[in-house]
Amino acid sequence: MAFWQEFEAPIGMEAPRRADALVPMPDGSALRLPLRDYGAVGVTGLIANQASFAVARRLAGWMADAASRFAPEVVVGLPTLGHVFGPLVAEALGHSNWVAPGYSRKLWYEEGLSVPLASSTTPVSRRLWLDPRLVARIEGRRVLLVDDVISTGHSALAGLELLAKAGVRPAAACVAMAQGDRWRAAWPGEVPLVAAFATPLYRPTPEGWVPMPETAPRDVAL
């Protein structure tokens, strides 16, 4: 089954689910996402660099709409899959460029502009780097931190830490999908977080996966 290629009518969204879930979108359509088995819970998956151009652009448009209230002046997109949405969100906001931290260290990079990072989908630790030549683009400006998904929050929190090393606290953070509520406990309240859409965690039953509505992110502006 192909995921992330087109939006569908919200037909057949009832639980329990076996392998996928139809997730409602801001315009009343639905996006079919695979369900990933994490043992005690299941989560919906979004692999942005496998999505169709049409789906990625529409999600980025909703992200830009949600973030526009914070009047961002520059977008910082986190690797890897935040690099799909970073340029699209920046373009939708009317920006001429965006800032892309990365996992590869170039010869002129500085240790002080890097932080360690391990995420729920990539548990192997690595470092997140910011090119020192890009610091001038974000200094004293209203920064929007962009990523594809927030789940446990590890990636986005590393992004906040990296920006802090450059002397920047972002005006807001923005993701395509807020996945469950596991990120909430560690998220700093002074940084607003917005999303194109949100999904709950799922619990296993003999009949399949059942959504846990209490885990839906209630304080994410959608």
Side-chain angles (χ1 to χ4, degrees), residues 82-157:
H83 283 187
V84 173
F85 294 114
L88 296 177
V89 171
E91 185 177 45
L93 289 169
H95 300 175
S96 60
N97 56 38
W98 65 294
V99 170
Y103 293 131
S104 298
R105 183 178 189 178
K106 307 302 181 186
L107 290 175
W108 60 92
Y109 283 14
E110 302 168 0
E111 192 79 23
L113 285 175
S114 72
V115 295
L117 168 64
S119 70
S120 60
T121 54
T122 309
V124 177
S125 182
R126 49 192 167 173
R127 294 195 76 82
L128 182 63
W129 299 85
L130 180 65
D131 187 335
R133 298 175 180 177
L134 296 176
V135 172
R137 284 197 194 174
I138 61 177
E139 282 181 322
R141 306 187 74 193
R142 296 183 61 80
V143 171
L144 177 68
L145 185 68
V146 165
D147 207 356
D148 60 328
V149 174
I150 188 165
S151 182
T152 60
H154 292 154
S155 297
L157 289 170

Side-chain angles (χ1 to χ4, degrees), residues 3-220:
F3 296 106
W4 320 300
Q5 300 308 302
E6 61 183 356
F7 294 97
E8 305 178 30
I11 300 172
M13 296 174 62
E14 66 278 354
R17 309 296 302 180
R18 286 291 183 183
D20 63 11
L22 272 174
V23 176
M25 295 289 110
D27 65 350
S29 65
L31 187 62
R32 190 177 299 275
L33 302 177
L35 280 169
R36 308 295 194 198
D37 186 347
Y38 275 38
V41 298
V43 300
T44 51
L46 174 65
I47 308 299
N49 61 4
Q50 296 178 14
S52 68
F53 297 145
V55 166
R57 287 192 179 278
R58 205 145 138 204
L59 291 176
W62 290 325
M63 293 167 71
D65 288 344
S68 63
R69 74 196 74 176
F70 304 107
E73 298 172 306
V74 60
V75 166
V76 175
L78 291 176
T80 300
L81 298 181
H83 283 187
V84 173
F85 294 114
L88 296 177
V89 171
E91 185 177 45
L93 289 169
H95 300 175
S96 60
N97 56 38
W98 65 294
V99 170
Y103 293 131
S104 298
R105 183 178 189 178
K106 307 302 181 186
L107 290 175
W108 60 92
Y109 283 14
E110 302 168 0
E111 192 79 23
L113 285 175
S114 72
V115 295
L117 168 64
S119 70
S120 60
T121 54
T122 309
V124 177
S125 182
R126 49 192 167 173
R127 294 195 76 82
L128 182 63
W129 299 85
L130 180 65
D131 187 335
R133 298 175 180 177
L134 296 176
V135 172
R137 284 197 194 174
I138 61 177
E139 282 181 322
R141 306 187 74 193
R142 296 183 61 80
V143 171
L144 177 68
L145 185 68
V146 165
D147 207 356
D148 60 328
V149 174
I150 188 165
S151 182
T152 60
H154 292 154
S155 297
L157 289 170
L160 295 181
E161 184 182 356
L162 182 66
L163 290 175
K165 289 200 167 192
V168 172
R169 188 176 76 182
C174 181
V175 296
M177 178 173 74
Q179 183 193 75
D181 62 351
R182 294 177 296 173
W183 53 271
R184 290 175 54 163
W187 189 255
E190 68 272 14
V191 180
L193 175 69
V194 294
F197 67 97
T199 62
L201 301 178
Y202 290 73
R203 62 179 175 86
T205 72
E207 294 76 31
W209 294 101
V210 176
M212 302 161 62
E214 70 276 12
T215 66
R218 296 177 187 145
D219 57 354
V220 174

